[in-house]
Amino acid sequence: MDVEIVALLVSSRHAFEGRPSDGPRPGPEPPARELVTVRAGLGLVGDRFFNHPAHRQAAVTVFAAESLDHLAGSLGLPGAPDPHLTRRNITLRGFDVDGLERGTVFSLDSGDGPVRFRAHRPAHPCAWMDVVLAPGAFRGLRRRGGIRCEPLDDGLLCLGPATLTL
């Protein structure tokens, strides 16, 4: 099916540490990317979860842009928040990411060949969402926080049109 990769994020440091009232910690470089390199079993090159044994099955988080549309509507926001603020690695438009069952294998191809991922567990939102997105976002994103995945192939993904295959 045709989808769109609307945001890619690689962050070398965790920005959401400490108390949400203190605000997020800025990273050493902007986390938004136009292109990411995926390594099988390891994650996204340069990301804080890359090659961490405890995060092998949760190295990449895939998120649905439609979740932000829903959030904007339910909270009365003038528009959907910037997907980079969720700190999810890959934001897609056009697919029900949260509907993926544990163990499902899917691939994304943005023009450089398919990259397969195995879905594992939901990426639950945290209290930081109320700070970085809007008050009420933490509850508004329950069951809409994306899915943590394990990359099964090496490859490249870039912003723009892509094909998702189950």
Side-chain angles (χ1 to χ4, degrees), residues 3-143:
V3 297
E4 180 184 4
I5 300 174
V6 298
L8 293 168
L9 183 133
V10 172
S11 178
S12 61
R13 290 182 14 190
H14 199 307
F16 299 157
E17 291 180 343
R19 294 179 303 227
S21 61
D22 294 337
R25 177 175 71 172
E29 76 281 337
R33 299 286 187 271
E34 291 187 18
L35 175 79
V36 295
T37 302
V38 182
R39 292 288 180 243
L42 301 174
L44 303 182
V45 174
D47 193 69
R48 67 193 177 280
F49 294 124
F50 183 81
N51 197 23
H52 284 252
H55 294 283
R56 292 271 164 82
Q57 293 186 345
V60 177
T61 304
V62 181
F63 182 73
E66 291 82 359
S67 294
L68 294 174
D69 298 339
H70 176 267
L71 183 70
S74 66
L75 297 180
L77 303 175
D82 178 350
H84 297 98
L85 296 176
T86 65
R87 308 293 289 180
R88 301 325 196 217
N89 299 113
I90 301 170
T91 302
L92 300 177
R93 180 168 296 285
F95 181 72
D96 179 17
V97 171
D98 297 294
L100 286 170
E101 294 182 17
R102 182 182 291 263
T104 300
V105 174
F106 65 96
S107 69
L108 286 171
D109 186 345
S110 61
D112 288 300
V115 180
R116 292 176 306 135
F117 296 88
R118 178 174 289 117
H120 284 285
R121 60 186 172 86
H124 299 295
C126 65
W128 278 95
M129 297 299 116
D130 284 350
V131 174
V132 297
L133 297 177
F138 171 53
R139 284 197 173 125
L141 287 175
R142 283 191 183 155
R143 291 179 292 283

